[in-house]
Amino acid sequence: MGDEKKSRAAEQQRIRDVIHEISKKEEEIHGKSAGLKESVIELRRNFWEDVTVNLDEPDDVIETHASMKQQAEFLSERERTHGQFAKELKILKRLKDSPYFGRVDFREANEKEADQIYIGTASLMDHKEENFLVFDWRAPISSIYYDFSPGKAKYETVEGTIEGEMTLKRQFIIRQGKLKGMFDTGVTIGDRLLQEVLGSNASTVMKSIVATIQAEQNKIIRNEKSRLLIVQGAAGSGKTSAALQRIAYLMYRYRDTLNAENMVLFSPNPLFTSYIANVLPELGEENIKQITFLDFLRESIGSELTVESPFEQMEYVLTEEESGEYRTRMKNINFKSGLEFKQLIEAFVSHLKHEGMQFKNITFRNRVLISKEEQYDYFYQLENHIEIPNKIELLSGWLLKELYKKVMKEKDDDWVIEKVELLDKEAYLKAYYRTQDKDEVNDAETEENFLRTAVVKNVYEKIKKRIEDFQFVNVAATYRTMFTSWDPENPPADWKEISAITASHLSGKHVLWEDAAPYAYFKGRLLGHKADRAVRQLVIDEAQDYSAFQFAYIKEVFPYTRMTLLGDVNQGIYSYAAGQNPLNPSSAAGHQERITLTKSYRSTKQIVEFTKSFAPGEEPIEPFNREGKKPKLLPIGKSDYKEVLLKNVEALRESGYESVAIICKTNQESNMLFELINDETAVKKLDEETFEFEKGLVVLPVYLAKGIEFDAVIIPDASEQSYEKETDRTLFYTACTRAMHQLVMLSAGEPCRFIGEAAEDKYEV
């Protein structure tokens, strides 16, 4: 038997040994957990029977409370133990299929023998809990697998740097406990392993990449020092995957102080959120909060106003060029995307210290208890040097005192006794027993008095809550006066037009997307920004689509948070909006680090070579060496358009592609195309309300395809008529780079100029 066969046989035997250890651990856990689930159910069922309840004397009440607390803690401990067993079994099940993916032999300095380090998605010790059979990919020693080739190597620990020599670096493909592939490699994770991962069909969920993390991605994952980490990555460079692995790494590294509740991810749309939802659980970690920036702003703004989505704004920009207010709307978008508008808001806030605040009447039973004019007078009698949020706090305190006086006068009104008669049994008894605590005559008059008081105080509490939430401040009306009755000292160009369009939408209780972040910022300047100190790590995906103002607002809300910004300037589909991009080095102050990922792994070499010809940015793009077919351009006539489209769909299906996307420029085009082919083939239309990504044929606008990949992509209209402007470059580039294996472009008429920028040998006609 040759050395290679012997080595392979030895590795397969080790896999069997490890799986045997896993089986033994599973048996142990099943033994420990036997009857535990039933015990928890029984404890819940008999909770009150096992608690001593006696409320006759004060000592009995204390004893009852202690008994309840003891029983609750006992139940909670059993439930935690059961949950931990379930989590361990889930990890063991995953390891049983593929215990590890890599091995390094590392000899520390001054040591004679090298240690064999096997690396997998989770740590595994032998049944004696003495030796590691598998190291978690996030463990300090595992970093040498990603960062070094055989030769001198080192890794960092809390005690310091460990130096030595790597004598072997080996990779495995293990499926269902069987060794499918084994090869030794250098610093780059071997092409054969990547080929195996990347050559398969697209998945409906993002795959974990821990087995194929590249050295440059590892820098992102293990970066612990930077308050701001900026990642510029080419399409398909694995930046989002690396960011999710980074989250998993940080949760592992700081397990005692960092958990899922301390981390937030801003994703571009709900479809993408569902697409990446599987990665962290696959690594044995709890999912962090994933929210779109749109939903985050809607939460900040509140329910009084509707908020336009960024996709609605995009659709307007792409389809409403002939509308009367289009030119003004574009000025509005450009101005409010930049920091000049933030300075204007600050000037207006300074003006509001002296006049202009708008309030709401505090009403009760259709009567005004405290008018907005009274609130205005009290607010502006306070010292001018006091900041507006502090003035609002003082006004709130005054309102609560005034409210209590006024509400208590209501006690003798007829409506109160009517409410008393409608009290439910629980509320009635609660009020009644309160009368027993008083050193007064317990007669009917006293009882009625306390019941009336209880009813009035209940009403007071509801109004009190609204006052404590500062709902008496009319933020929307105050913001609107900035555009209707305020004259800035140095108004920007087109201020009257911008003011008119803004005021019009606010009158309809609607906020345009370009106004959403400014409005939320303005609201914070009035009521006080609720800085979220609980969030310690914020990851922003598709950061190139955030305006300068939006990013400034994020920094205001998360002032103490470490941030990771991921994006690609080539895919800045909101390029029509002015304002510095957050990915720009000068846009973010403070301690920051920039990492650039230039290699694209998603698409075949042929697709990358084609698309980089018209990429908008100047960053270099390197294709991964995975061969495939050249992109195909099909000139067609209007008469045979439907036939050619369906024919190509069928050809892609017959090629074995499970996910085929027809990516349109706009939602309007998506709707038309869906209606055209819906009766002819199985197809699903995706829009901004789509929350799950499914395999099959889908139709969607390009701005919803961000971050997602498909086996094959069809651009249904790649003509000059469709993609005619320079601002369309990012849209066309984004659409084309969604394809993993094949790209087909249809053009009824002259192909768009971006295709013409690629050499003729880069695509087929």
Side-chain angles (χ1 to χ4, degrees), residues 104-117 135 140-141 144 151-157 159-167:
V104 291
D105 292 1
F106 181 72
R107 184 176 66 243
E108 289 188 27
N110 303 320
E111 293 289 336
K112 293 182 179 180
E113 298 293 327
D115 292 321
Q116 294 180 359
I117 311 298
F135 283 86
I141 195 169
I144 61 176
K152 288 186 178 181
K154 61 183 179 180
Y155 64 96
E156 303 294 331
T157 70
E159 287 82 18
T161 303
I162 306 296
E163 297 184 346
E165 182 184 6
M166 184 196 298
T167 58

Side-chain angles (χ1 to χ4, degrees), residues 92 163 220 223 226 265 294 328 340 440 493 573 575 586 642 671 675 716:
L92 290 173
E163 297 184 346
I220 299 167
N223 182 293
S226 303
L265 169 68
L294 168 63
T328 302
E340 185 184 348
E440 298 180 26
I573 61 174
S575 56
S586 60
K642 181 178 177 181
N671 290 333
E675 292 300 324

